[in-house]
Amino acid sequence: MGVAMPHRMFRSRSSWLRVLRLYDITTRLTAAAAAGDEQLSLLDARVHARSRFRSVGDPGRFALYSVHNGESAPLLALAAPAAESEGEHTLVAVREFRRVPLAASSLALTIFTARPGRAVQVVATIAHFVERAVDLYQPGYLLLAHSLEEPRTCLLLMAVHDSAALGAAATAAFSLDALLPELAPLLAGAPETYEYFPEPAAEPVAGAVSPYAV
């Protein structure tokens, strides 16, 4: 009598764990140590995707977004001594849109901090913006998520192919200018804007954004 072989199980995207690490580099020594830790962690098989961002307003401030295999403990993106870490956030996705394969020339991250008691309103307002943007023009990638540890913190990650957006005359769909007046009374401070700043080992052969960025 033959024995039935077990069926292969396919797991949904929900098994992935999203992590956001905010940190500051204040000296050349911490910069070198952080770069070494980043290169080492790129070799870890549990890291499904990762993107590094640099603050537009503060060149020494960085954000590292990564997606890990949720079945095992996430690999810390940076070792504690490497940089002055502000905190690590486990992210809960609220809205997500993805085109496969990813084709993007611009990738930006914006972090919002809501006033006490206003977190739900902030997320709902940004979610409405996301839905309008997707209706006007399908981006390469778009994610709205909030922090599990700090519910008042949420982020918007957008990947756009600039030439396609210009051709469709839809760049306004991804501008936050019209959103900020509505959000301002709900926020504890101005949103933090970060631009994609790839690690040397993650730079793509062709295109401006690594296919493993998100």
Side-chain angles (χ1 to χ4, degrees):
M1 180 176 177
V3 178
M5 298 297 292
H7 294 287
R8 184 184 299 272
M9 295 182 65
F10 293 90
R11 300 187 179 276
S12 69
R13 182 91 180 161
S14 61
S15 65
W16 297 109
L17 181 66
R18 308 165 194 268
V19 176
L20 177 69
R21 185 72 174 267
L22 302 174
Y23 63 98
D24 290 290
I25 292 177
T26 57
T27 67
R28 184 175 299 179
L29 178 61
T30 57
D37 290 332
E38 288 171 350
Q39 295 300 320
L40 182 61
S41 63
L42 279 172
L43 303 176
D44 194 282
R46 293 172 294 176
V47 179
H48 174 74
R50 196 172 78 169
S51 303
R52 184 177 62 165
F53 298 86
R54 191 175 195 173
S55 171
V56 173
D58 182 357
R61 183 169 173 79
F62 291 82
L64 195 63
Y65 169 79
S66 56
V67 183
H68 305 260
N69 185 338
E71 294 182 347
S72 57
L75 175 71
L76 291 179
L78 295 170
E84 295 181 9
S85 175
E86 180 179 310
E88 185 171 289
H89 299 271
T90 304
L91 301 176
V92 179
V94 178
R95 293 285 190 277
E96 183 176 27
F97 179 86
R98 172 188 296 275
R99 295 187 71 180
V100 179
L102 174 68
S105 57
S106 296
L107 183 61
L109 172 70
T110 306
I111 298 177
F112 305 86
T113 303
R115 293 180 182 273
R118 300 292 188 178
V120 174
Q121 287 178 268
V122 169
V123 170
T125 301
I126 301 174
H128 186 50
F129 163 82
V130 167
E131 291 163 0
R132 292 199 312 266
V134 171
D135 285 341
L136 289 174
Y137 174 74
Q138 294 185 348
Y141 183 76
L142 206 159
L143 170 69
L144 168 61
H146 68 83
S147 168
L148 183 64
E149 295 82 6
E150 297 288 344
R152 293 198 295 130
T153 298
C154 67
L155 67 84
L156 184 62
L157 178 59
M158 297 188 292
V160 181
H161 198 290
D162 294 325
S163 60
L166 289 170
T171 53
F174 301 97
S175 171
L176 299 179
D177 291 345
L179 177 65
L180 293 181
E182 185 178 359
L183 275 180
L186 307 174
L187 298 177
E192 294 183 78
T193 303
Y194 293 80
E195 293 181 343
Y196 183 58
F197 193 74
E199 298 131 321
E203 289 181 356
V205 176
V209 177
S210 168
Y212 304 104
V214 292

